[in-house]
Amino acid sequence: MGAGMNANSIPAPASRGPLNGLRVLEFAGLGPAPFACMLLSDMGADVVTVDRSGQALGAPAKLVCRGRRIVQADLKQPADRDLVQSLARHADVVVEGFRPGVMERLGLGPKEVCAGNPGLIYARMTGWGQSGPLADTAGHDLNYIALTGALHAIGPRNQGPVPPLNLVGDYAGGSLYLVVGILAALNERQQSGQGQVVDAAITDGVASLMTLFLSQSQRGQWTPQRGQNLFDGGSPFYSVYETADGQHVALAALEPQFFAMACEMLGLDPEWQQAHSDTSRWPALRAELGRVFAQRTRDDWQAHFAGSDACVTGVLSLVEALQNPHLRARSTFVEVEGITHPAPAPRFSRTPSSIQAPPPQRTTDAATILAEWQG
């Protein structure tokens, strides 16, 4: 189906978010670029996604697709490609997540597209970046965090590295840095009137995320051995403990005053509080904390520490998190047409974000969107 051949158009969503009026043209992909566009949509942007002709639309529970309209096009066909180029000439932002050179071969690279729209922000999301020896090779989140030192630092003592879902690479180092780059470029455009290319590489983002640990390493405060550092589970007061029912609690009493409170509420001998700063006693302290936490269930401990500054929380599953009283009180999860979504974040006092629409179940006529954007 060509880009201009669907008459069942979906109207542009209404928004009061801080990015209301921003026009984003997204080329469909996987992982970090779609998530970044979801965030832009939640903040009010009008996001239009260009997908392949005949591509099946996402299910209602494919949450990352929320809040945008979809145009299907065969970019190898001149008529479809010209129509998409016309959309790009009226967009504020273009987002693509292909390997370097793919958009250029389609005639939709920044040189071609920005020639007709000098104020365009052309945002490129890749794993390795637009240059470098690995730029043209395949990779995934695990590869990117492996090469930047992040994966090596995550995992228990005397065991191998543990993949931290694909949060650190794809979404933290990828999506969030892509959004930061787009917003920064939009701000600069207000002064210069000029657009620019944003080269958002996951490896660059993850390296940036590792700033604290690189700093500690260069100051002699971080060892490359896993499970022996402050934030990697090495410290007994920043760790996870099993409870009587086989569940777990998280203890994060970093500061001495919070650790003192945790010790008191756990009924530990006051002498254990001195072990907080004595690394030689950490193994014994860990054993003592493990012994005490194993005496009661997770929910018992959660109730016991509720409202305190001891920094003890239950480790909840994703399903359990939906029912957590604090998250419910803040409406951290919301329901849209019977499907549960994480609510937009962050929150704005005057121009609130919102989920503009559920994942679309039909495509939109590109010519109709072009008429809107030209108006």
Side-chain angles (χ1 to χ4, degrees):
M1 180 180 292
M5 297 178 61
N6 183 0
N8 296 320
S9 294
I10 300 172
S15 170
R16 295 189 297 123
L19 297 184
N20 184 34
L22 187 74
R23 296 167 176 172
V24 178
L25 186 66
E26 171 195 18
F27 288 87
L30 299 173
F35 185 75
C37 288
M38 184 199 83
L39 299 177
L40 295 174
S41 171
D42 286 351
M43 289 186 280
D46 181 5
V47 178
V48 172
T49 303
V50 179
D51 206 347
R52 295 192 305 272
S53 295
Q55 181 74 9
L57 299 183
K62 192 174 182 180
L63 309 185
V64 75
C65 294
R66 73 194 192 193
R68 67 255 267 166
R69 292 177 289 175
I70 294 180
V71 165
Q72 291 190 336
D74 182 353
L75 296 178
K76 296 180 180 179
Q77 299 299 319
D80 282 13
R81 187 168 58 249
D82 289 347
L83 190 51
V84 170
Q85 284 178 323
S86 296
L87 285 170
R89 282 196 292 271
H90 292 87
D92 296 293
V93 180
V94 162
V95 176
E96 63 95 358
F98 301 115
R99 289 198 208 186
V102 170
M103 295 298 283
E104 284 80 357
R105 289 192 292 273
L106 289 169
L108 293 167
K111 181 179 179 180
E112 296 85 357
V113 173
C114 295
N117 185 357
L120 182 69
I121 309 303
Y122 197 106
R124 317 195 80 169
M125 180 79 262
T126 60
W128 305 117
Q130 297 296 315
S131 61
L134 295 175
D136 294 326
T137 65
H140 287 293
D141 173 286
L142 202 60
N143 306 119
Y144 311 137
I145 68 172
L147 209 67
T148 48
L151 181 60
H152 185 276
I154 301 171
R157 187 171 185 171
N158 298 324
Q159 296 185 38
V162 175
L165 304 180
N166 62 330
L167 292 174
V168 175
D170 281 351
Y171 299 117
S175 304
L176 300 187
Y177 278 81
L178 179 65
V179 171
V180 167
I182 289 169
L183 298 180
L186 287 168
N187 180 72
E188 192 279 336
R189 188 178 71 175
Q190 293 181 332
Q191 283 78 49
S192 68
Q194 299 295 305
Q196 58 184 306
V197 175
V198 177
D199 175 3
I202 294 173
T203 48
D204 294 346
V206 174
S208 176
L209 289 170
M210 294 294 289
T211 298
L212 170 64
F213 310 106
L214 180 59
S215 173
Q216 291 182 333
S217 175
Q218 293 177 111
R219 301 199 318 261
Q221 298 173 347
W222 183 271
T223 174
Q225 284 75 41
R226 282 179 293 279
Q228 298 185 40
N229 297 286
L230 185 61
F231 292 109
D232 65 356
S235 55
F237 47 82
Y238 195 86
S239 195
V240 174
Y241 293 92
E242 187 170 355
T243 54
D245 53 349
Q247 299 292 325
H248 295 85
V249 293
L251 170 66
L254 282 170
E255 294 83 358
Q257 67 272 25
F258 299 150
F259 181 65
M261 179 177 292
C263 288
E264 292 172 6
M265 296 185 70
L266 286 167
L268 268 63
D269 189 303
E271 189 269 340
W272 282 111
Q273 297 179 26
Q274 307 307 312
H276 182 275
S277 57
D278 184 352
T279 57
S280 68
R281 298 183 62 191
W282 280 8
L285 175 59
R286 180 181 298 279
E288 178 66 7
L289 289 168
R291 181 188 69 80
V292 174
F293 277 120
Q295 294 175 0
R296 298 171 66 172
T297 68
R298 181 199 65 184
D299 290 349
D300 282 346
W301 285 123
Q302 197 162 247
H304 179 69
F305 285 102
S308 77
D309 284 343
C311 304
V312 177
T313 54
V315 177
L316 306 184
S317 71
L318 184 57
V319 173
E320 290 174 318
L322 301 179
Q323 303 303 321
N324 177 261
H326 177 80
L327 301 183
R328 287 175 64 87
R330 285 184 57 81
S331 298
T332 300
F333 297 97
V334 296
E335 191 171 293
V336 179
E337 297 188 2
I339 301 295
T340 301
H341 293 244
R347 305 181 187 204
F348 299 89
S349 63
R350 188 171 51 81
T351 57
S353 297
S354 64
I355 298 173
Q356 298 193 55
Q361 297 305 294
R362 65 179 190 273
T363 60
T364 298
D365 183 359
T368 299
I369 295 174
L370 181 58
E372 290 178 9
W373 285 10
Q374 288 175 323

